Amino acid sequence: MAAGTALYINTAQENLAQVRRTVELGLDGWVGYSYRTPELGVEQGMKTGDKAYRELSRLLVGRAQRGRENCEE
């Protein structure tokens, strides 16, 4: 079972917190969805969609990559 969250109504930090709660609850995965924008800042006109996607990707993938680097060898 996976948790699905609405990215467009949260900030990037709130989306990250939801992913962490999903992992802590032991669910099989997390699914983020958005009709057109990756986070609330785009909806509010505070940033572009491209910038928001890059920021969210760094938060979600960047942390996982650092963890894997520490586990190698």
Side-chain angles (χ1 to χ4, degrees), residues 10-42:
N10 299 309
T11 66
Q13 291 295 328
E14 290 166 337
N15 286 322
L16 179 61
Q18 288 182 348
V19 172
R20 287 181 175 159
R21 282 194 299 271
T22 298
V23 171
E24 290 169 1
L25 289 171
L27 297 175
D28 296 321
W30 170 82
V31 180
Y33 67 90
S34 175
Y35 292 109
R36 68 173 186 205
T37 60
E39 69 149 282
L40 185 60
V42 178

mmCIF file of all heavy atoms in Angstrom, residues 10-42:
data_model
loop_
_atom_site.group_PDB
_atom_site.id
_atom_site.type_symbol
_atom_site.label_atom_id
_atom_site.label_comp_id
_atom_site.label_asym_id
_atom_site.label_seq_id
_atom_site.Cartn_x
_atom_site.Cartn_y
_atom_site.Cartn_z
ATOM 1 N N ASN A 10 1.084 21.833 -0.865
ATOM 2 C CA ASN A 10 2.107 21.831 0.181
ATOM 3 C C ASN A 10 3.365 22.534 -0.302
ATOM 4 O O ASN A 10 3.638 22.597 -1.492
ATOM 5 C CB ASN A 10 2.506 20.400 0.544
ATOM 6 C CG ASN A 10 1.348 19.602 1.076
ATOM 7 O OD1 ASN A 10 0.657 20.032 1.971
ATOM 8 N ND2 ASN A 10 1.141 18.424 0.512
ATOM 9 N N THR A 11 4.174 22.985 0.639
ATOM 10 C CA THR A 11 5.509 23.466 0.298
ATOM 11 C C THR A 11 6.411 22.242 0.077
ATOM 12 O O THR A 11 6.038 21.114 0.435
ATOM 13 C CB THR A 11 6.101 24.316 1.431
ATOM 14 O OG1 THR A 11 6.308 23.474 2.577
ATOM 15 C CG2 THR A 11 5.211 25.495 1.781
ATOM 16 N N ALA A 12 7.593 22.456 -0.460
ATOM 17 C CA ALA A 12 8.531 21.350 -0.672
ATOM 18 C C ALA A 12 8.878 20.681 0.658
ATOM 19 O O ALA A 12 8.946 19.451 0.742
ATOM 20 C CB ALA A 12 9.798 21.853 -1.374
ATOM 21 N N GLN A 13 9.077 21.452 1.704
ATOM 22 C CA GLN A 13 9.400 20.890 3.015
ATOM 23 C C GLN A 13 8.248 20.058 3.567
ATOM 24 O O GLN A 13 8.456 19.017 4.188
ATOM 25 C CB GLN A 13 9.781 22.001 3.996
ATOM 26 C CG GLN A 13 11.101 22.672 3.672
ATOM 27 C CD GLN A 13 12.284 21.728 3.790
ATOM 28 O OE1 GLN A 13 12.302 20.815 4.590
ATOM 29 N NE2 GLN A 13 13.288 21.951 2.964
ATOM 30 N N GLU A 14 7.023 20.508 3.344
ATOM 31 C CA GLU A 14 5.858 19.733 3.791
ATOM 32 C C GLU A 14 5.742 18.423 3.017
ATOM 33 O O GLU A 14 5.388 17.388 3.588
ATOM 34 C CB GLU A 14 4.581 20.561 3.644
ATOM 35 C CG GLU A 14 4.505 21.706 4.625
ATOM 36 C CD GLU A 14 3.429 22.723 4.287
ATOM 37 O OE1 GLU A 14 3.018 22.830 3.111
ATOM 38 O OE2 GLU A 14 3.005 23.421 5.213
ATOM 39 N N ASN A 15 6.044 18.467 1.715
ATOM 40 C CA ASN A 15 6.031 17.234 0.919
ATOM 41 C C ASN A 15 7.067 16.246 1.439
ATOM 42 O O ASN A 15 6.797 15.047 1.558
ATOM 43 C CB ASN A 15 6.264 17.551 -0.558
ATOM 44 C CG ASN A 15 5.053 18.185 -1.194
ATOM 45 O OD1 ASN A 15 3.920 17.829 -0.902
ATOM 46 N ND2 ASN A 15 5.282 19.149 -2.068
ATOM 47 N N LEU A 16 8.240 16.738 1.763
ATOM 48 C CA LEU A 16 9.283 15.876 2.312
ATOM 49 C C LEU A 16 8.838 15.260 3.639
ATOM 50 O O LEU A 16 9.040 14.070 3.886
ATOM 51 C CB LEU A 16 10.586 16.656 2.498
ATOM 52 C CG LEU A 16 11.755 15.877 3.092
ATOM 53 C CD1 LEU A 16 12.137 14.695 2.207
ATOM 54 C CD2 LEU A 16 12.940 16.805 3.293
ATOM 55 N N ALA A 17 8.196 16.035 4.477
ATOM 56 C CA ALA A 17 7.706 15.531 5.761
ATOM 57 C C ALA A 17 6.675 14.415 5.550
ATOM 58 O O ALA A 17 6.669 13.416 6.281
ATOM 59 C CB ALA A 17 7.099 16.662 6.578
ATOM 60 N N GLN A 18 5.833 14.554 4.534
ATOM 61 C CA GLN A 18 4.852 13.509 4.250
ATOM 62 C C GLN A 18 5.534 12.228 3.787
ATOM 63 O O GLN A 18 5.115 11.131 4.154
ATOM 64 C CB GLN A 18 3.842 13.987 3.214
ATOM 65 C CG GLN A 18 2.898 15.016 3.769
ATOM 66 C CD GLN A 18 1.860 15.459 2.767
ATOM 67 O OE1 GLN A 18 1.937 15.175 1.578
ATOM 68 N NE2 GLN A 18 0.854 16.175 3.258
ATOM 69 N N VAL A 19 6.581 12.358 2.987
ATOM 70 C CA VAL A 19 7.332 11.177 2.549
ATOM 71 C C VAL A 19 7.938 10.482 3.767
ATOM 72 O O VAL A 19 7.858 9.254 3.906
ATOM 73 C CB VAL A 19 8.441 11.567 1.547
ATOM 74 C CG1 VAL A 19 9.342 10.387 1.253
ATOM 75 C CG2 VAL A 19 7.831 12.102 0.269
ATOM 76 N N ARG A 20 8.515 11.241 4.651
ATOM 77 C CA ARG A 20 9.132 10.655 5.849
ATOM 78 C C ARG A 20 8.098 9.938 6.716
ATOM 79 O O ARG A 20 8.358 8.859 7.239
ATOM 80 C CB ARG A 20 9.842 11.738 6.655
ATOM 81 C CG ARG A 20 11.110 12.205 5.990
ATOM 82 C CD ARG A 20 11.798 13.243 6.816
ATOM 83 N NE ARG A 20 13.074 13.584 6.221
ATOM 84 C CZ ARG A 20 13.720 14.703 6.466
ATOM 85 N NH1 ARG A 20 13.223 15.584 7.318
ATOM 86 N NH2 ARG A 20 14.867 14.941 5.883
ATOM 87 N N ARG A 21 6.918 10.534 6.875
ATOM 88 C CA ARG A 21 5.863 9.875 7.654
ATOM 89 C C ARG A 21 5.447 8.565 7.004
ATOM 90 O O ARG A 21 5.181 7.579 7.700
ATOM 91 C CB ARG A 21 4.662 10.804 7.821
ATOM 92 C CG ARG A 21 4.889 11.864 8.878
ATOM 93 C CD ARG A 21 3.608 12.567 9.281
ATOM 94 N NE ARG A 21 2.943 13.262 8.195
ATOM 95 C CZ ARG A 21 3.189 14.527 7.852
ATOM 96 N NH1 ARG A 21 4.105 15.233 8.490
ATOM 97 N NH2 ARG A 21 2.525 15.088 6.867
ATOM 98 N N THR A 22 5.397 8.536 5.685
ATOM 99 C CA THR A 22 5.055 7.307 4.965
ATOM 100 C C THR A 22 6.056 6.209 5.285
ATOM 101 O O THR A 22 5.684 5.075 5.585
ATOM 102 C CB THR A 22 5.038 7.565 3.444
ATOM 103 O OG1 THR A 22 4.034 8.543 3.156
ATOM 104 C CG2 THR A 22 4.761 6.308 2.662
ATOM 105 N N VAL A 23 7.332 6.545 5.248
ATOM 106 C CA VAL A 23 8.387 5.569 5.550
ATOM 107 C C VAL A 23 8.274 5.109 6.998
ATOM 108 O O VAL A 23 8.354 3.917 7.291
ATOM 109 C CB VAL A 23 9.778 6.168 5.265
ATOM 110 C CG1 VAL A 23 10.885 5.263 5.762
ATOM 111 C CG2 VAL A 23 9.943 6.443 3.776
ATOM 112 N N GLU A 24 8.073 6.052 7.901
ATOM 113 C CA GLU A 24 7.965 5.710 9.325
ATOM 114 C C GLU A 24 6.780 4.788 9.614
ATOM 115 O O GLU A 24 6.850 3.948 10.493
ATOM 116 C CB GLU A 24 7.838 6.985 10.158
ATOM 117 C CG GLU A 24 9.116 7.803 10.198
ATOM 118 C CD GLU A 24 8.914 9.190 10.792
ATOM 119 O OE1 GLU A 24 7.777 9.532 11.206
ATOM 120 O OE2 GLU A 24 9.901 9.951 10.820
ATOM 121 N N LEU A 25 5.697 4.938 8.860
ATOM 122 C CA LEU A 25 4.519 4.097 9.052
ATOM 123 C C LEU A 25 4.679 2.703 8.444
ATOM 124 O O LEU A 25 3.861 1.829 8.670
ATOM 125 C CB LEU A 25 3.284 4.776 8.443
ATOM 126 C CG LEU A 25 2.783 6.004 9.192
ATOM 127 C CD1 LEU A 25 1.695 6.714 8.382
ATOM 128 C CD2 LEU A 25 2.248 5.617 10.561
ATOM 129 N N GLY A 26 5.749 2.516 7.656
ATOM 130 C CA GLY A 26 6.017 1.211 7.072
ATOM 131 C C GLY A 26 5.220 0.907 5.818
ATOM 132 O O GLY A 26 5.120 -0.255 5.414
ATOM 133 N N LEU A 27 4.653 1.936 5.175
ATOM 134 C CA LEU A 27 3.934 1.707 3.925
ATOM 135 C C LEU A 27 4.918 1.324 2.818
ATOM 136 O O LEU A 27 6.123 1.576 2.916
ATOM 137 C CB LEU A 27 3.140 2.947 3.529
ATOM 138 C CG LEU A 27 2.037 3.352 4.517
ATOM 139 C CD1 LEU A 27 1.397 4.661 4.098
ATOM 140 C CD2 LEU A 27 0.979 2.266 4.618
ATOM 141 N N ASP A 28 4.400 0.735 1.751
ATOM 142 C CA ASP A 28 5.253 0.258 0.659
ATOM 143 C C ASP A 28 5.819 1.374 -0.211
ATOM 144 O O ASP A 28 6.820 1.183 -0.882
ATOM 145 C CB ASP A 28 4.469 -0.710 -0.235
ATOM 146 C CG ASP A 28 4.056 -1.950 0.518
ATOM 147 O OD1 ASP A 28 4.857 -2.448 1.327
ATOM 148 O OD2 ASP A 28 2.928 -2.416 0.307
ATOM 149 N N GLY A 29 5.178 2.511 -0.227
ATOM 150 C CA GLY A 29 5.678 3.581 -1.073
ATOM 151 C C GLY A 29 4.894 4.868 -0.896
ATOM 152 O O GLY A 29 3.942 4.953 -0.130
ATOM 153 N N TRP A 30 5.306 5.845 -1.642
ATOM 154 C CA TRP A 30 4.706 7.174 -1.612
ATOM 155 C C TRP A 30 4.497 7.625 -3.044
ATOM 156 O O TRP A 30 5.354 7.394 -3.902
ATOM 157 C CB TRP A 30 5.633 8.141 -0.881
ATOM 158 C CG TRP A 30 5.238 9.573 -0.999
ATOM 159 C CD1 TRP A 30 4.304 10.236 -0.260
ATOM 160 C CD2 TRP A 30 5.776 10.538 -1.904
ATOM 161 N NE1 TRP A 30 4.220 11.545 -0.637
ATOM 162 C CE2 TRP A 30 5.112 11.758 -1.661
ATOM 163 C CE3 TRP A 30 6.724 10.501 -2.906
ATOM 164 C CZ2 TRP A 30 5.390 12.913 -2.370
ATOM 165 C CZ3 TRP A 30 6.992 11.652 -3.602
ATOM 166 C CH2 TRP A 30 6.332 12.845 -3.324
ATOM 167 N N VAL A 31 3.370 8.252 -3.318
ATOM 168 C CA VAL A 31 3.053 8.771 -4.643
ATOM 169 C C VAL A 31 2.658 10.228 -4.486
ATOM 170 O O VAL A 31 1.713 10.548 -3.769
ATOM 171 C CB VAL A 31 1.874 7.996 -5.279
ATOM 172 C CG1 VAL A 31 1.546 8.549 -6.649
ATOM 173 C CG2 VAL A 31 2.183 6.514 -5.331
ATOM 174 N N GLY A 32 3.398 11.104 -5.131
ATOM 175 C CA GLY A 32 3.038 12.514 -5.120
ATOM 176 C C GLY A 32 2.374 12.854 -6.439
ATOM 177 O O GLY A 32 2.812 12.420 -7.489
ATOM 178 N N TYR A 33 1.289 13.598 -6.401
ATOM 179 C CA TYR A 33 0.626 13.974 -7.647
ATOM 180 C C TYR A 33 0.321 15.459 -7.664
ATOM 181 O O TYR A 33 0.206 16.105 -6.633
ATOM 182 C CB TYR A 33 -0.650 13.158 -7.858
ATOM 183 C CG TYR A 33 -1.753 13.453 -6.869
ATOM 184 C CD1 TYR A 33 -2.692 14.446 -7.120
ATOM 185 C CD2 TYR A 33 -1.839 12.749 -5.680
ATOM 186 C CE1 TYR A 33 -3.706 14.716 -6.200
ATOM 187 C CE2 TYR A 33 -2.846 13.018 -4.765
ATOM 188 C CZ TYR A 33 -3.771 14.003 -5.039
ATOM 189 O OH TYR A 33 -4.751 14.262 -4.138
ATOM 190 N N SER A 34 0.229 15.959 -8.872
ATOM 191 C CA SER A 34 -0.090 17.349 -9.076
ATOM 192 C C SER A 34 -0.666 17.501 -10.478
ATOM 193 O O SER A 34 -0.183 16.871 -11.415
ATOM 194 C CB SER A 34 1.166 18.202 -8.947
ATOM 195 O OG SER A 34 0.875 19.543 -9.263
ATOM 196 N N TYR A 35 -1.656 18.318 -10.610
ATOM 197 C CA TYR A 35 -2.244 18.538 -11.925
ATOM 198 C C TYR A 35 -1.333 19.357 -12.826
ATOM 199 O O TYR A 35 -1.300 19.171 -14.015
ATOM 200 C CB TYR A 35 -3.607 19.205 -11.801
ATOM 201 C CG TYR A 35 -4.627 18.297 -11.190
ATOM 202 C CD1 TYR A 35 -5.109 18.518 -9.912
ATOM 203 C CD2 TYR A 35 -5.077 17.177 -11.880
ATOM 204 C CE1 TYR A 35 -6.040 17.671 -9.350
ATOM 205 C CE2 TYR A 35 -6.002 16.323 -11.322
ATOM 206 C CZ TYR A 35 -6.482 16.574 -10.052
ATOM 207 O OH TYR A 35 -7.388 15.726 -9.490
ATOM 208 N N ARG A 36 -0.592 20.281 -12.255
ATOM 209 C CA ARG A 36 0.303 21.095 -13.088
ATOM 210 C C ARG A 36 1.473 21.708 -12.340
ATOM 211 O O ARG A 36 2.408 22.188 -12.947
ATOM 212 C CB ARG A 36 -0.466 22.191 -13.800
ATOM 213 C CG ARG A 36 -0.984 23.244 -12.850
ATOM 214 C CD ARG A 36 -1.610 24.413 -13.551
ATOM 215 N NE ARG A 36 -1.925 25.375 -12.523
ATOM 216 C CZ ARG A 36 -2.836 26.272 -12.614
ATOM 217 N NH1 ARG A 36 -3.520 26.384 -13.705
ATOM 218 N NH2 ARG A 36 -3.051 27.104 -11.629
ATOM 219 N N THR A 37 1.434 21.759 -11.029
ATOM 220 C CA THR A 37 2.502 22.399 -10.277
ATOM 221 C C THR A 37 2.995 21.481 -9.164
ATOM 222 O O THR A 37 2.218 20.755 -8.563
ATOM 223 C CB THR A 37 2.029 23.719 -9.649
ATOM 224 O OG1 THR A 37 0.952 23.461 -8.776
ATOM 225 C CG2 THR A 37 1.615 24.711 -10.698
ATOM 226 N N PRO A 38 4.288 21.507 -8.891
ATOM 227 C CA PRO A 38 4.865 20.593 -7.909
ATOM 228 C C PRO A 38 4.762 21.036 -6.454
ATOM 229 O O PRO A 38 5.099 20.287 -5.571
ATOM 230 C CB PRO A 38 6.315 20.502 -8.339
ATOM 231 C CG PRO A 38 6.588 21.835 -8.942
ATOM 232 C CD PRO A 38 5.303 22.240 -9.608
ATOM 233 N N GLU A 39 4.333 22.269 -6.222
ATOM 234 C CA GLU A 39 4.219 22.727 -4.835
ATOM 235 C C GLU A 39 3.459 24.037 -4.743
ATOM 236 O O GLU A 39 3.219 24.712 -5.740
ATOM 237 C CB GLU A 39 5.589 22.850 -4.176
ATOM 238 C CG GLU A 39 6.414 23.977 -4.739
ATOM 239 C CD GLU A 39 7.340 24.568 -3.705
ATOM 240 O OE1 GLU A 39 6.868 25.348 -2.868
ATOM 241 O OE2 GLU A 39 8.531 24.257 -3.754
ATOM 242 N N LEU A 40 3.103 24.392 -3.542
ATOM 243 C CA LEU A 40 2.281 25.562 -3.267
ATOM 244 C C LEU A 40 2.897 26.867 -3.761
ATOM 245 O O LEU A 40 2.187 27.752 -4.230
ATOM 246 C CB LEU A 40 2.015 25.643 -1.756
ATOM 247 C CG LEU A 40 1.072 26.735 -1.277
ATOM 248 C CD1 LEU A 40 -0.305 26.563 -1.901
ATOM 249 C CD2 LEU A 40 0.978 26.705 0.233
ATOM 250 N N GLY A 41 4.212 26.999 -3.689
ATOM 251 C CA GLY A 41 4.875 28.237 -4.111
ATOM 252 C C GLY A 41 4.595 28.603 -5.560
ATOM 253 O O GLY A 41 4.522 29.773 -5.912
ATOM 254 N N VAL A 42 4.407 27.615 -6.414
ATOM 255 C CA VAL A 42 4.084 27.872 -7.815
ATOM 256 C C VAL A 42 2.648 28.385 -7.916
ATOM 257 O O VAL A 42 2.366 29.340 -8.635
ATOM 258 C CB VAL A 42 4.286 26.602 -8.675
ATOM 259 C CG1 VAL A 42 3.902 26.865 -10.119
ATOM 260 C CG2 VAL A 42 5.720 26.116 -8.590
#
